[in-house]
Amino acid sequence: MSIKLSTRSRYGTRLMLDMAQHYNDGPIHLSDIAKRQDVSVKYLEQIIIPLKKAGYIESLRGPKGGHILAKPPEEITVKDIVGLLEEGTSLVECCDDTTVCKRTDICPTRILWKEASEAMFDRLQTITLADLVEKAKAMQSK
Amino acid sequence: MSIKLSTRSRYGTRLMLDMAQHYNDGPIHLSDIAKRQDVSVKYLEQIIIPLKKAGYIESLRGPKGGHILAKPPEEITVKDIVGLLEEGTSLVECCDDTTVCKRTDICPTRILWKEASEAMFDRLQTITLADLVEKAKAMQSK
DNA sequence: TAATTATATATTGATTGAATATATAGCAAA
DNA sequence: TTTGCTATATATTCAATCAATATATAATTA
């Protein structure tokens, strides 16, 4: 009964943040991230798939294997991550696809939802993984 | 698999817009709104309850009965409606309630979700029912 | 008192979210 | 070359929630 961000995109963001925090440490195991973030490995395995497909992560199998960020943390925004894992940046279907509703032409609320979606994702676009790493450091030194 | 506004808050907004469009027409039947908005009466009956409790609508039973906006359309924002029907203005539980997650103190993403929620609802707060009525008029005269 | 309208409660069916389980595939070092 | 390590792929489960309907009851006016 209330609009909520899925654990998928929240865990996904924490997954990416964790990797950003260990950027340059070589391939990282999902099991380590799972421990640090207190999330199940199996679930992270699911979440990481689209992140790999989208080119944000590269992986290596076998011993000494693991996952690495494919881009520097400065070049990945939270919008990238959330937009990917939530499958789109619109809070209502009719924002993107004008064919789902026959009222599209008359409906004044459609534009409303579009603006709300944009306000949200515009904000998320201004924040990179590097920003989050900084913020995390600041929080820990307190 | 994607964050979406519920039909509850979308229909609720259309319900309120419809009432704003017939402001000063006396008590309005839900059945008329249902027809105009192409939504089931039964469902609207559910949605209207919290709107009444919150004081946005007053109702009269019996013949000549119906529902009336308790405030002028200028004084009701979309944030009021959506915030009410979605039960809160935060996209993640931990935004409001700091006890739901033990990581609250360390978690840099929490602030993130808070900002995203605010960005969205701040935008919705700038739009009143009167604005939507105007927009609807403009769309129809095209 | 009869017709009309709103209110209250319960129930349904389908969908989705969140997570787990079980296998398979590929790589590196011994 | 084989053993162990790690990632990948697919399927399945369980519970929660969304969206909607059904069936009553209560109040008001003509």
Side-chain angles (χ1 to χ4, degrees):
Chain A
M1 178 114 69
S2 86
I3 183 177
K4 286 284 176 276
L5 229 50
S6 65
T7 56
R8 193 175 145 96
S9 56
R10 289 186 289 121
Y11 291 1
T13 304
R14 282 164 57 192
L15 163 67
M16 292 292 276
L17 169 57
D18 193 290
M19 294 193 64
Q21 286 172 320
H22 296 86
Y23 196 55
N24 292 327
D25 287 7
I28 305 172
H29 302 174
L30 272 193
S31 57
D32 289 335
I33 300 178
K35 256 179 240 159
R36 285 192 291 258
Q37 299 295 328
D38 199 19
V39 175
S40 103
V41 182
K42 283 289 161 201
Y43 197 24
L44 288 184
E45 281 172 354
Q46 263 183 56
I47 294 173
I48 209 174
I49 295 172
L51 291 166
K52 280 173 52 68
K53 277 194 187 160
Y56 297 121
I57 291 177
E58 280 168 4
S59 309
L60 301 168
R61 299 194 192 201
K64 298 276 174 186
H67 306 274
I68 312 186
L69 279 191
K71 298 180 183 183
E74 295 79 25
E75 293 178 20
I76 303 176
T77 73
V78 180
K79 176 187 179 178
D80 295 332
I81 301 166
V82 176
L84 183 74
L85 295 177
E86 297 285 354
E87 294 191 341
T89 58
S90 63
L91 296 171
V92 168
E93 269 193 82
C94 63
C95 289
D96 294 334
D97 184 354
T98 57
T99 66
V100 291
C101 178
K102 56 187 173 184
R103 302 177 68 87
T104 300
D105 297 332
I106 347 160
C107 184
T109 61
R110 177 173 164 266
I111 300 138
L112 198 58
W113 312 133
K114 204 170 168 118
E115 287 186 10
S117 313
E118 284 168 3
M120 176 181 157
F121 279 97
D122 283 354
R123 184 81 194 79
L124 291 182
Q125 192 166 26
T126 67
I127 302 169
T128 69
L129 286 183
D131 295 331
L132 287 182
V133 172
E134 280 308 305
K135 181 148 286 184
K137 274 185 195 164
M139 290 181 84
Q140 301 208 328
S141 64
K142 271 180 190 171
Chain B
M1 177 117 67
S2 85
I3 184 176
K4 285 283 178 276
L5 229 50
S6 64
T7 56
R8 190 176 148 98
S9 56
R10 289 186 288 120
Y11 291 0
T13 304
R14 281 164 58 194
L15 162 67
M16 291 291 278
L17 169 57
D18 193 290
M19 294 194 64
Q21 286 172 323
H22 296 86
Y23 196 55
N24 292 327
D25 288 7
I28 305 169
H29 302 173
L30 272 192
S31 57
D32 289 336
I33 300 179
K35 254 179 239 159
R36 286 192 291 260
Q37 297 296 328
D38 199 19
V39 175
S40 103
V41 182
K42 284 286 161 200
Y43 199 24
L44 288 184
E45 282 173 355
Q46 262 184 57
I47 295 173
I48 208 174
I49 295 171
L51 291 167
K52 280 172 51 66
K53 279 194 187 162
Y56 296 121
I57 292 178
E58 279 167 5
S59 309
L60 300 168
R61 299 193 191 201
K64 299 278 178 183
H67 306 272
I68 312 186
L69 279 191
K71 298 181 184 183
E74 296 79 23
E75 293 178 19
I76 303 176
T77 72
V78 180
K79 176 187 178 177
D80 295 332
I81 301 166
V82 176
L84 183 73
L85 295 176
E86 297 285 354
E87 293 192 342
T89 58
S90 63
L91 297 171
V92 169
E93 269 193 82
C94 63
C95 289
D96 293 335
D97 184 353
T98 57
T99 67
V100 291
C101 178
K102 54 185 172 184
R103 302 176 67 86
T104 301
D105 298 330
I106 347 162
C107 185
T109 61
R110 178 172 163 266
I111 299 139
L112 199 58
W113 312 133
K114 202 168 171 126
E115 286 186 10
S117 313
E118 284 169 1
M120 176 181 156
F121 279 98
D122 283 353
R123 185 80 194 82
L124 292 181
Q125 191 166 25
T126 67
I127 303 168
T128 70
L129 285 182
D131 296 331
L132 287 182
V133 171
E134 279 309 306
K135 181 147 285 183
K137 273 185 195 163
M139 288 182 85
Q140 300 208 330
S141 63
K142 272 183 187 170

